[in-house]
Amino acid sequence: MLSLLLQLAVTQAAPPRIAESIIIDGVLDEPAWQRAARLENFTQFSPADGRPALRQTVVLVWYSPNAIHFGIQAAAEPGTVRAHLTDRDRGIIPDDYIELQIGTFNDGRSAFVFAVNPLGVQADGALVEGNIARRLSTETDRTGGREQPDLSPDYLFDSRGQVSDTGFVVEVRIPFRSLRFQTGATQDWTLQIIRKSAHDGREDTWAPARRDAASFLAQHGKLTGLTGLERGLVLEVNPIVTSTITGEARGGGWDYRGGRPDFGGNVRWGMATNFTLNGTVNPDFSQVESDAGQITPDPRRALFFTEKRPFFLDGLEYFTNPSQVIYTRRIAAPVAAAKFTGKVAGTSVGILSAVDGQEASRSRTNNPVFNLIRLLRDVGDGSRLGFAYADRIEGDRANRVAELDGRVVFGGNNSLSFHAAASHTRDAGAGTTAPLWYLAFNRAGRRFGLNLSFTGISDEFQAESGFLQQADFANLTIGPSITAYGGQGAFLERFNGAVSASYSWNYSTFIRGESPRDRQYWFNTSWAFRGGYQLSGTLFVEEFGFDPNFYRDYRLEVTTGTGVEAAAFGTKPSLPVSAVMLRLKTPEVAGFGFDGFAAYGRDPNYLEWSDSRIVFARFGLTYRPTDKLRFEVGVPVLAHYRRSDGRRVDSNVIPRLKMEYQLSRAVFLRFVGEYRSAYQDDLRDDGRSNAPILIRDPSGDIRDPSGDRFKRATGFEINALRVDWLFSYQPTPGTVFFAGYGATLDDDGPFRFGRLDRRRDGFFTKLSYLFRA
């Protein structure tokens, strides 16, 4: 009982209310800092929890009527602090940083996230329990750890920092108008402070946190007795003007079109301390940086791209749902949209309606209408219950999806998660209803962990407002794991071993009680070494069965007495898989950092459904020669080689270089170059009849017995370079000036760079200003 009381005394603080204004300059010299609450006695969380922090961290906190202030004093050995002048959000990930997780609703399930590096460069976002989002930290082991924030939202706050021989000091001011919070006169907020030291990868926390707990958020400390919080009028008007000129070769010349200014704007109104209303008309949904090219060894699965568009990012966490029946990127080119978000009486509410442009419709004449609703209710200690509804209506076609989900926490480190959804699609008077369901148990043990999951998605389930990685799918996965920790200062700081057994069916065959189509067994180990080095390895032993849905448009070319016809592709035998993958992640050393993996072995050649050798890798290298200049290189590689004759059947290599020079915190120059080299051989019935493969095509000249048209799957090669230049001035989120140029050039061979023919290009400018009442 005494130890519990001592822990509560350490992890609770009552910051004073001081009616003063200060200058945020990274120097804690104002009298208010002498009266601030003092938060110290940090403990280690990663690589091992429950140990005293190796370095002292002291955080001072107080609040004025309209803002909360944090003063961070972090001790460090001379020369070990990593700090760069960089872009917001992900730019600070390789640096030392302090992360403030502030739960303004005191629910232990959600928090605002504000992070700063030693120079005061910012990252911000939101954290919702169970959310899978862009990570602010990375670990390779599969058990323990903590929920990761979504860095998409942007908030206005002030920060400045200074580095010295003994560590660094950062001063932070977060206005209450940038937050949503409770309506009570006196409030308690949850708080966790995380310090990451880049040179050795350690994470320390102010409130002691266990890696084996079912929730990291539930272990936050508390700021108590907050009173007299004045948010004031929160009204933001953000007019935007953009102009785009695109060029393309036409009629033997080069034709440029566009250039006229396009006006739009956003409005944000804080209706109350806990509710916000957003509206937009003709919004700017241009993306300053294009999506990086992705490749996957399993073409049956769709690729996911994160939301980048400003209007959707504010309050995006209110629409997070485990089944992803809400995916705002389905709203392609909206004419107008409105959004309501907030939390009251333990229930989070998100409502969004949008009218999409005609160019996003099937008919090119209708305006699709979207309605998205998300409710999430706190239930008991750490548990929750959620509801989601999404529809897309276009003319006489309507797709509607309703989902119920929940998470029950019990025994401190056990959780049971579930979601069930039904879709109803009506088109030309005919309707179809289909289910989706998921059930999972997770034991987040410090030494022994266990994951069990059971998934089913009907072949008729449709989510036109959501994201489905794979339809017509049922899966059972079992994954036990063990973790061991080295002593303080040991060379091996943490070891994790895990086994995963996964069985998959087509949904209809599962319902009929047939045997699994795919059987997958993964044996994974990971090691965290002193200094922040991480190494992991996985052995894959799998067997994949023929999926008739994926090959429904396949036929074989056969010669008969009457000519050439398309014959059935038929059912093929299952294919064995045996492969190994290694991954290495290093801290930044002499300006260099590396994160990459490589896999090699036996894998299905899905293009022909035959046995093949696979090479699959991704290498990422960062280099920061100065505190203003940075380079990022990423090279994903995927290739299949037929085992029958050793010939390459397909390959994709997409190297990407990003170079940024930060003139100041508000101004940077960026260059992005991405090369795509794609190859596919003529497809054939490899290892069987070797007949040419045909693909359904309305313009094809070969027919099957039903009269459908097909054409040969002939080989092709694509070699193209995309370059983008950008000048960015962004003093605060919402106030920006962008000027950019991009071009796509065709190469006459893979990586020859001898004759690059410009295929298209364009100029882009954007100007917006955030007015705050």
Side-chain angles (χ1 to χ4, degrees):
M1 184 64 179
L2 177 60
S3 63
L4 176 61
L5 292 175
L6 289 174
Q7 184 182 21
L8 289 175
V10 170
T11 57
Q12 289 190 6
R17 186 178 189 272
I18 304 172
E20 293 184 12
S21 296
I22 64 172
I23 298 174
I24 303 300
D25 55 6
V27 180
L28 308 180
D29 55 355
E30 291 89 352
W33 292 113
Q34 304 301 316
R35 299 166 54 191
R38 186 180 176 92
L39 314 184
E40 49 190 340
N41 299 319
F42 280 57
T43 60
Q44 190 180 123
F45 178 74
S46 179
D49 57 4
R51 298 172 178 169
L54 295 180
R55 305 169 189 91
Q56 184 183 44
T57 306
V58 176
V59 177
L60 307 176
V61 57
W62 59 278
Y63 66 101
S64 63
N66 54 22
I68 188 167
H69 299 75
F70 294 90
I72 299 146
Q73 301 170 318
E77 299 86 347
T80 61
V81 174
R82 307 279 170 78
H84 299 83
L85 197 62
T86 183
D87 195 15
R88 300 183 89 251
D89 290 335
R90 65 184 301 271
I92 77 167
I93 293 175
D95 288 348
D96 286 52
Y97 61 76
I98 298 290
E99 181 179 339
L100 306 169
Q101 298 184 356
I102 306 174
T104 56
F105 289 97
N106 194 29
D107 54 14
R109 297 170 176 85
S110 62
F112 290 93
V113 175
F114 301 90
V116 288
N117 78 354
L119 299 178
V121 179
Q122 302 173 353
D124 51 9
L127 182 58
V128 178
E129 193 174 62
N131 184 23
I132 301 173
R134 296 162 60 189
R135 298 169 70 88
L136 193 61
S137 67
T138 57
E139 293 182 352
T140 57
D141 64 74
R142 293 167 50 192
T143 60
R146 59 186 178 93
E147 291 98 347
Q148 301 297 331
D150 184 346
L151 301 182
S152 301
D154 288 325
Y155 308 107
L156 290 176
F157 68 106
D158 303 307
S159 58
R160 288 290 184 275
Q162 298 185 24
V163 180
S164 68
D165 290 339
T166 59
F168 62 91
V169 176
V170 182
E171 195 171 21
V172 178
R173 176 184 181 272
I174 303 172
F176 293 141
R177 62 167 49 191
S178 293
L179 304 173
R180 298 179 179 89
F181 50 89
Q182 308 158 64
T183 58
T186 301
Q187 303 184 21
D188 294 344
W189 290 0
T190 64
L191 174 68
Q192 183 61 282
I193 306 171
I194 303 162
R195 176 184 176 182
K196 192 207 84 171
S197 299
H199 81 281
D200 61 7
R202 295 185 183 277
E203 287 187 345
D204 302 329
T205 63
W206 167 59
R210 303 187 344 259
R211 297 179 62 85
D212 64 345
S215 170
F216 182 78
L217 282 161
Q219 302 180 82
H220 280 194
K222 290 284 182 72
L223 296 179
T224 61
L226 304 179
T227 186
L229 309 185
E230 300 175 6
R231 193 178 187 223
L233 174 64
V234 179
L235 181 62
E236 298 177 353
V237 180
N238 189 204
I240 300 169
V241 58
T242 62
S243 179
T244 302
I245 301 174
T246 58
E248 191 171 359
R250 289 188 180 92
W254 201 259
D255 181 23
Y256 282 97
R257 299 182 181 183
R260 293 186 301 177
D262 192 15
F263 296 91
N266 306 319
V267 176
R268 180 176 181 266
W269 175 31
M271 304 171 62
T273 61
N274 56 338
F275 284 115
T276 300
L277 180 66
N278 298 68
T280 186
V281 176
N282 192 26
D284 161 45
F285 287 132
S286 58
Q287 295 177 359
V288 174
E289 184 178 351
S290 60
D291 294 312
Q294 298 184 45
I295 53 178
T296 174
D298 190 344
R300 299 173 300 177
R301 300 189 176 189
L303 295 174
F304 180 85
F305 294 93
T306 59
E307 182 61 83
K308 295 183 178 181
R309 303 171 297 180
F311 171 77
F312 290 121
L313 295 182
D314 183 51
L316 183 65
E317 67 274 14
Y318 284 88
F319 296 92
T320 299
N321 61 103
S323 64
Q324 294 184 298
V325 297
I326 296 176
Y327 179 49
T328 54
R329 283 190 67 150
R330 294 296 183 210
I331 307 172
V335 176
K339 177 170 55 179
F340 174 84
T341 55
K343 185 167 186 175
V344 61
T347 301
S348 297
V349 179
I351 302 173
L352 188 152
S353 293
V355 178
D356 215 351
Q358 292 181 352
E359 62 270 33
S361 70
R362 290 177 171 83
S363 65
R364 302 294 180 179
T365 58
N366 295 315
N367 288 95
V369 176
F370 290 81
N371 295 288
L372 312 176
I373 300 173
R374 174 65 171 156
L375 306 175
L376 189 62
R377 173 72 180 177
D378 301 338
V379 180
D381 185 13
S383 302
R384 65 174 189 238
L385 185 66
F387 170 79
Y389 170 83
D391 67 33
R392 182 185 188 275
I393 301 171
E394 179 190 333
D396 59 359
R397 179 182 176 85
N399 172 251
R400 296 179 172 88
V401 180
E403 181 231 48
L404 184 69
D405 61 89
R407 183 171 188 259
V408 180
V409 176
F410 58 97
N413 60 352
N414 301 309
S415 64
L416 185 68
S417 302
F418 67 89
H419 58 258
S423 73
H424 180 77
T425 304
R426 190 167 187 84
D427 192 3
T432 303
T433 302
L436 173 152
W437 42 265
Y438 171 84
L439 180 66
F441 168 81
N442 180 69
R443 182 186 189 277
R446 189 174 188 273
R447 297 190 178 277
F448 174 75
L450 180 63
N451 297 281
L452 304 171
S453 67
F454 198 18
T455 306
I457 307 174
S458 168
D459 57 331
E460 296 184 328
F461 184 89
Q462 297 184 54
E464 296 180 5
S465 303
F467 175 81
L468 287 181
Q469 188 177 63
Q470 187 174 358
D472 189 16
F473 181 70
N475 175 266
L476 173 65
T477 297
I478 305 169
S481 62
I482 58 171
T483 305
Y485 300 88
Q488 188 77 277
F491 175 69
L492 177 61
E493 296 182 322
R494 186 177 64 246
F495 167 81
N496 175 260
V499 178
S500 176
S502 179
Y503 306 92
S504 301
W505 297 257
N506 289 99
Y507 187 80
S508 56
T509 61
F510 170 77
I511 295 298
R512 292 196 299 266
E514 298 181 13
S515 298
R517 182 194 67 209
D518 303 337
R519 295 174 172 85
Q520 298 171 266
Y521 305 98
W522 295 7
F523 304 89
N524 183 78
T525 60
S526 65
W527 300 267
F529 298 100
R530 185 175 63 234
Y533 294 86
Q534 298 182 38
L535 178 67
S536 64
T538 304
L539 173 65
F540 303 90
V541 179
E542 305 169 319
E543 184 180 36
F544 288 93
F546 181 76
D547 185 352
N549 290 329
F550 187 73
Y551 298 98
R552 64 181 62 185
D553 293 328
Y554 271 51
R555 298 292 188 274
L556 296 180
E557 181 182 313
V558 296
T559 303
T560 67
T562 59
V564 177
E565 293 183 357
F569 190 60
T571 300
K572 312 296 178 182
S574 59
L575 298 175
V577 172
S578 56
V580 64
M581 181 175 72
L582 293 176
R583 180 188 177 192
L584 173 66
K585 183 178 186 297
T586 73
E588 184 178 298
V589 179
F592 289 92
F594 177 83
D595 187 358
F597 71 85
Y600 176 81
R602 192 175 181 180
D603 198 63
N605 160 19
Y606 281 100
L607 293 177
E608 299 174 329
W609 189 249
S610 64
D611 207 355
S612 73
R613 289 183 293 109
I614 184 175
V615 176
F616 182 39
R618 188 190 187 285
F619 304 105
L621 180 69
T622 60
Y623 177 50
R624 299 190 177 200
T626 71
D627 64 348
K628 294 184 177 182
L629 181 62
R630 55 191 178 272
F631 298 88
E632 294 181 13
V633 178
V635 186
V637 178
L638 175 64
H640 290 91
Y641 298 85
R642 298 185 183 98
R643 289 178 63 87
S644 60
D645 58 12
R647 285 176 57 88
R648 177 177 48 149
V649 65
D650 75 294
S651 64
N652 269 283
V653 184
I654 313 177
R656 179 183 175 91
L657 167 66
K658 181 164 71 172
M659 178 176 63
E660 294 180 322
Y661 185 75
Q662 200 82 28
L663 283 79
S664 67
R665 284 183 58 175
V667 180
F668 72 79
L669 298 172
R670 173 190 293 161
F671 167 79
V672 177
E674 182 175 283
Y675 191 102
R676 182 191 177 201
S677 178
Y679 169 85
Q680 180 179 300
D681 198 9
D682 295 339
L683 301 187
R684 55 184 171 83
D685 190 26
D686 179 47
R688 295 175 290 267
S689 68
N690 287 321
I693 288 176
L694 305 175
I695 304 295
R696 189 187 305 274
D697 190 319
S699 65
D701 55 359
I702 303 176
R703 297 175 182 267
D704 71 356
S706 68
D708 290 343
R709 293 179 176 270
F710 295 82
K711 68 186 308 183
R712 272 195 182 188
T714 55
F716 62 84
E717 189 170 351
I718 298 173
N719 297 287
L721 173 65
R722 173 73 188 179
V723 295
D724 290 286
W725 297 86
L726 177 72
F727 170 82
S728 170
Y729 172 66
Q730 187 175 14
T732 60
T735 298
V736 300
F737 172 71
F738 297 136
Y741 170 78
T744 300
L745 305 96
D746 289 331
D747 201 355
D748 58 356
F751 301 102
R752 290 183 182 175
F753 299 101
R755 179 184 174 185
L756 292 172
D757 292 328
R758 184 170 47 128
R759 188 196 326 160
R760 67 175 69 94
D761 66 358
F763 300 86
F764 167 77
T765 57
K766 172 181 175 179
L767 177 63
S768 71
Y769 188 83
L770 183 64
F771 295 93
R772 300 192 91 185

